[in-house]
């Protein structure tokens, strides 16, 4: 995993981390989704605690990334669901464009 300090909201889903062990990737992405789709900060904390209980021991770097970026993530929760979708879609498009530029 990269040690950069960008917010997890800019890399939700598969972009949130680089996993050498891809066998769990889809399950981890699915387990993180309730965190960034939570209706409130407290709900997000509760979902993150569930994620940590399930995956924290095996992937502590993912947990540390979210913990260290939590303050940057919280403002994302203040947006409505539709706005969040646009933000995530925009980030996905930016990610694809960056890959094209690197190629």
């Amino acid at each position: 995993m990269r040690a950069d300090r960008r917010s997890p909201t800019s890399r939700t889903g598969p972009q949130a981390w680089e996993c050498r062990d891809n066998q769990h990737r889809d399950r981890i992405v699915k387990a993180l989704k309730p965190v960034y789709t939570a209706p409130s900060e407290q709900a997000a904390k509760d979902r993150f605690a569930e994620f940590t209980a399930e995956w924290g021991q095996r992937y502590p770097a993912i947990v540390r990334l979210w913990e260290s970026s939590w303050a940057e993530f919280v403002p994302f929760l203040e947006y409505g669901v539709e706005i969040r979708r646009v933000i995530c879609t925009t980030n996905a498009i930016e990610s694809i464009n960056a890959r094209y530029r690197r190629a």
Side-chain angles (χ1 to χ4, degrees), residues 11-30:
R11 293 163 297 153
T12 55
Q15 300 83 20
W17 45 278
E18 291 181 18
C19 180
R20 291 190 179 115
D21 184 7
N22 283 329
Q23 79 183 72
H24 297 124
R25 183 182 189 123
D26 292 338
R27 290 174 49 204
I28 291 172
V29 169
K30 186 177 179 179

Side-chain angles (χ1 to χ4, degrees), residues 9 26 30 55 58 61 64 67 69 76 86 96:
T9 59
D26 292 338
K30 186 177 179 179
W55 294 103
R58 185 171 193 124
R64 283 192 308 271
E67 288 172 342
S69 301
F76 178 73
V86 170
I96 290 170

Side-chain angles (χ1 to χ4, degrees), residues 33-71:
K33 187 172 183 176
V35 177
Y36 63 85
T37 59
S40 68
E41 181 178 3
Q42 187 56 52
K45 283 181 181 179
D46 294 343
R47 300 300 78 78
F48 183 67
E50 292 168 5
F51 173 84
T52 300
E54 182 177 356
W55 294 103
Q57 185 143 5
R58 185 171 193 124
Y59 296 102
I62 297 171
V63 172
R64 283 192 308 271
L65 172 69
W66 276 81
E67 288 172 342
S68 67
S69 301
W70 193 261

Side-chain angles (χ1 to χ4, degrees), residues 93-103:
I93 292 168
E94 289 173 1
S95 175
I96 290 170
N97 288 336
R99 290 176 192 199
Y100 283 137
R101 283 191 298 270
R102 278 184 257 156

